Coordinates of all heavy atoms in Angstrom, one line a residue:
M147 N 115.8 106.9 114.6 CA 116.8 106.6 115.7 C 118.0 105.8 115.2 O 119.1 106.0 115.6 CB 116.1 105.9 116.8 CG 115.0 106.6 117.6 SD 115.6 108.0 118.5 CE 116.5 107.3 119.9
Q148 N 117.8 104.9 114.1 CA 118.8 104.2 113.6 C 119.7 105.0 112.7 O 121.0 104.9 112.7 CB 118.4 103.0 112.9 CG 117.7 101.8 113.8 CD 117.3 100.7 113.1 OE1 117.1 100.7 111.8 NE2 117.0 99.6 113.8
Q149 N 119.0 105.8 111.8 CA 119.7 106.4 110.7 C 120.3 107.7 111.1 O 121.3 108.2 110.5 CB 118.8 106.6 109.5 CG 118.3 105.4 108.9 CD 117.2 105.6 107.8 OE1 116.7 106.8 107.7 NE2 116.8 104.5 107.1
N150 N 119.7 108.4 112.1 CA 120.2 109.7 112.6 C 120.3 109.7 114.1 O 119.9 110.8 114.8 CB 119.2 110.8 112.1 CG 119.0 110.8 110.6 OD1 118.0 110.3 110.1 ND2 120.0 111.3 109.8
G151 N 120.9 108.7 114.6 CA 120.8 108.7 116.2 C 121.6 109.8 116.8 O 121.2 110.4 117.8
D152 N 122.8 110.1 116.2 CA 123.6 111.2 116.7 C 122.9 112.5 116.7 O 122.9 113.3 117.7 CB 124.9 111.4 115.9 CG 125.8 110.1 116.1 OD1 125.6 109.4 117.0 OD2 126.8 110.0 115.3
L153 N 122.1 112.8 115.6 CA 121.4 114.0 115.5 C 120.3 114.0 116.5 O 120.0 115.1 117.2 CB 120.8 114.1 114.1 CG 119.9 115.3 113.9 CD1 120.5 116.6 114.1 CD2 119.2 115.3 112.5
V154 N 119.5 112.9 116.7 CA 118.4 112.9 117.6 C 118.8 113.2 119.1 O 118.2 113.9 119.8 CB 117.8 111.4 117.6 CG1 116.7 111.3 118.7 CG2 117.1 111.3 116.3
Y155 N 119.9 112.6 119.5 CA 120.4 112.8 120.9 C 121.0 114.2 121.0 O 121.0 114.8 122.1 CB 121.4 111.7 121.3 CG 120.7 110.5 121.8 CD1 120.6 109.4 120.9 CD2 120.2 110.4 123.0 CE1 119.9 108.3 121.3 CE2 119.5 109.2 123.5 CZ 119.4 108.2 122.6 OH 118.8 107.1 123.0
A156 N 121.5 114.8 119.9 CA 121.9 116.2 120.0 C 120.8 117.1 120.1 O 120.8 118.2 120.8 CB 122.7 116.5 118.7
I157 N 119.6 116.7 119.5 CA 118.4 117.5 119.7 C 117.9 117.3 121.1 O 117.4 118.3 121.7 CB 117.3 116.9 118.7 CG1 117.7 117.3 117.2 CG2 115.9 117.6 119.0 CD1 116.8 116.7 116.2
F158 N 117.9 116.2 121.7 CA 117.6 116.0 123.1 C 118.4 116.9 124.0 O 118.0 117.5 124.9 CB 117.8 114.5 123.5 CG 116.8 113.6 122.9 CD1 117.1 112.2 122.9 CD2 115.7 114.0 122.3 CE1 116.2 111.3 122.3 CE2 114.8 113.1 121.6 CZ 115.0 111.8 121.7
A159 N 119.8 116.9 123.8 CA 120.6 117.7 124.6 C 120.2 119.2 124.4 O 120.3 120.0 125.3 CB 122.1 117.4 124.1
S160 N 119.9 119.6 123.2 CA 119.6 121.0 122.9 C 118.2 121.4 123.6 O 118.1 122.5 124.0 CB 119.3 121.2 121.4 OG 120.5 121.0 120.7
M161 N 117.4 120.4 123.8 CA 116.1 120.6 124.4 C 116.4 121.0 125.9 O 115.8 121.8 126.5 CB 115.2 119.5 124.4 CG 114.7 119.2 122.9 SD 113.6 117.8 122.7 CE 112.2 118.4 123.5
L162 N 117.3 120.2 126.6 CA 117.6 120.4 127.9 C 118.4 121.7 128.1 O 118.2 122.5 129.1 CB 118.5 119.3 128.5 CG 117.8 117.9 128.5 CD1 118.8 116.8 128.9 CD2 116.6 117.9 129.5
M163 N 119.3 122.0 127.2 CA 119.9 123.3 127.2 C 118.9 124.5 127.0 O 119.0 125.6 127.6 CB 121.0 123.4 126.1 CG 122.1 122.4 126.4 SD 123.1 122.0 124.8 CE 123.6 123.6 124.2
A164 N 117.9 124.2 126.1 CA 116.9 125.3 125.9 C 116.1 125.6 127.2 O 115.7 126.8 127.4 CB 116.0 124.9 124.8
N165 N 115.9 124.5 128.0 CA 115.2 124.8 129.4 C 116.0 125.7 130.2 O 115.5 126.7 130.8 CB 115.0 123.5 130.1 CG 114.0 122.6 129.4 OD1 113.2 123.1 128.6 ND2 114.1 121.3 129.5
F166 N 117.3 125.6 130.2 CA 118.2 126.5 131.0 C 118.1 127.9 130.5 O 118.1 128.9 131.1 CB 119.6 126.0 131.0 CG 120.7 126.8 131.6 CD1 120.7 126.8 133.0 CD2 121.6 127.5 130.9 CE1 121.6 127.6 133.7 CE2 122.5 128.3 131.5 CZ 122.5 128.4 133.0
A167 N 118.2 128.0 129.0 CA 118.1 129.3 128.4 C 116.7 129.9 128.7 O 116.6 131.2 128.9 CB 118.3 129.1 126.9
H168 N 115.7 129.2 128.7 CA 114.4 129.6 129.0 C 114.3 130.3 130.3 O 113.7 131.3 130.5 CB 113.4 128.4 128.9 CG 111.9 128.8 129.0 ND1 110.9 128.0 129.1 CD2 111.4 130.0 129.1 CE1 109.7 128.5 129.2 NE2 110.0 129.8 129.2
L169 N 114.9 129.6 131.3 CA 114.9 130.2 132.7 C 115.6 131.5 132.7 O 115.1 132.5 133.4 CB 115.7 129.2 133.6 CG 115.6 129.5 135.2 CD1 114.1 129.5 135.6 CD2 116.4 128.4 135.9
I170 N 116.8 131.5 132.0 CA 117.6 132.8 132.2 C 116.9 134.0 131.4 O 116.7 135.1 131.9 CB 119.0 132.6 131.5 CG1 119.7 131.6 132.4 CG2 119.7 133.9 131.4 CD1 121.1 131.3 131.9
V171 N 116.5 133.7 130.1 CA 115.9 134.7 129.3 C 114.6 135.1 129.8 O 114.2 136.4 129.9 CB 115.7 134.1 127.8 CG1 115.0 135.3 127.0 CG2 117.1 133.9 127.1
G172 N 113.7 134.2 130.3 CA 112.5 134.5 130.9 C 112.6 135.4 132.0 O 111.8 136.3 132.3
R173 N 113.6 135.0 133.0 CA 113.7 135.8 134.2 C 114.2 137.3 133.9 O 113.6 138.2 134.5 CB 114.6 135.0 135.1 CG 114.8 135.8 136.5 CD 113.5 135.8 137.3 NE 113.6 136.6 138.5 CZ 113.5 137.9 138.6 NH1 113.2 138.6 137.4 NH2 113.6 138.6 139.7
L174 N 115.2 137.4 133.1 CA 115.6 138.6 132.7 C 114.7 139.6 132.0 O 114.7 140.8 132.1 CB 117.0 138.5 131.9 CG 118.2 137.9 132.6 CD1 119.4 137.7 131.7 CD2 118.6 138.8 133.8
G175 N 113.8 138.9 131.2 CA 112.9 139.6 130.4 C 111.6 140.0 131.0 O 110.8 140.8 130.4
I176 N 111.3 139.5 132.2 CA 110.0 139.8 132.8 C 109.7 141.3 132.9 O 108.6 141.7 132.5 CB 110.0 139.2 134.3 CG1 109.7 137.7 134.2 CG2 108.9 139.8 135.1 CD1 109.6 136.9 135.5
P177 N 110.6 142.2 133.3 CA 110.2 143.6 133.3 C 110.0 144.2 131.9 O 109.3 145.1 131.6 CB 111.5 144.4 133.8 CG 112.2 143.3 134.7 CD 112.0 142.0 133.8
L178 N 110.7 143.6 130.9 CA 110.5 144.1 129.5 C 109.2 143.7 128.9 O 108.6 144.5 128.2 CB 111.7 143.4 128.6 CG 111.5 143.7 127.1 CD1 111.7 145.2 126.8 CD2 112.6 143.0 126.3
W179 N 108.7 142.4 129.2 CA 107.4 142.0 128.6 C 106.3 142.9 128.9 O 105.3 142.9 128.1 CB 107.2 140.6 129.0 CG 108.3 139.6 128.8 CD1 108.8 138.7 129.7 CD2 109.2 139.5 127.7 NE1 109.9 138.0 129.2 CE2 110.1 138.5 127.9 CE3 109.1 140.1 126.4 CZ2 111.1 138.0 127.0 CZ3 110.1 139.7 125.5 CH2 111.1 138.7 125.7
V180 N 106.3 143.6 130.0 CA 105.2 144.5 130.3 C 105.1 145.5 129.3 O 104.0 145.9 128.9 CB 105.5 145.1 131.8 CG1 104.5 146.1 132.1 CG2 105.6 144.1 132.8
K181 N 106.2 146.0 128.8 CA 106.2 147.1 127.8 C 105.8 146.4 126.4 O 105.1 147.1 125.6 CB 107.6 147.8 127.6 CG 108.0 148.4 129.0 CD 109.2 149.1 128.8 CE 109.7 149.8 130.1 NZ 108.7 150.8 130.6
V182 N 106.2 145.2 126.1 CA 105.8 144.6 124.8 C 104.4 144.4 124.7 O 103.8 144.6 123.5 CB 106.7 143.2 124.7 CG1 106.1 142.5 123.4 CG2 108.1 143.5 124.7
T183 N 103.7 144.1 125.7 CA 102.2 143.9 125.6 C 101.5 145.1 125.3 O 100.3 145.1 124.9 CB 101.7 143.3 126.9 OG1 102.1 144.2 128.0 CG2 102.3 141.9 127.2
Q184 N 102.1 146.3 125.4 CA 101.6 147.5 125.1 C 101.8 148.0 123.7 O 101.3 149.1 123.3 CB 102.0 148.6 126.0 CG 101.7 148.3 127.5 CD 102.3 149.3 128.5 OE1 103.2 150.1 128.1 NE2 101.9 149.3 129.8
I185 N 102.5 147.3 122.9 CA 102.7 147.6 121.4 C 101.3 147.6 120.7 O 100.7 146.5 120.7 CB 103.7 146.7 120.8 CG1 105.1 146.8 121.5 CG2 103.9 147.1 119.3 CD1 106.1 146.0 120.9

């Protein structure tokens, strides 16, 4: 936290952004995953 504080908080911000991305990608991909499980 002392040596790489800027990076750590950038990672925290990325995690919150990833939750938003997760919601979008997961919702749009629901019809597709049905087909992926059949590979």
Side-chain angles (χ1 to χ4, degrees):
M147 296 292 291
Q148 289 184 346
Q149 297 174 350
N150 306 101
D152 292 347
L153 174 63
V154 171
Y155 279 97
I157 293 171
F158 292 164
S160 298
M161 294 177 73
L162 296 175
M163 292 158 57
N165 293 334
F166 179 72
H168 185 187
L169 186 63
I170 295 176
V171 175
R173 182 63 187 86
L174 294 176
I176 283 177
L178 172 65
W179 307 133
V180 177
K181 299 184 182 300
V182 172
T183 58
Q184 298 176 344
I185 299 175

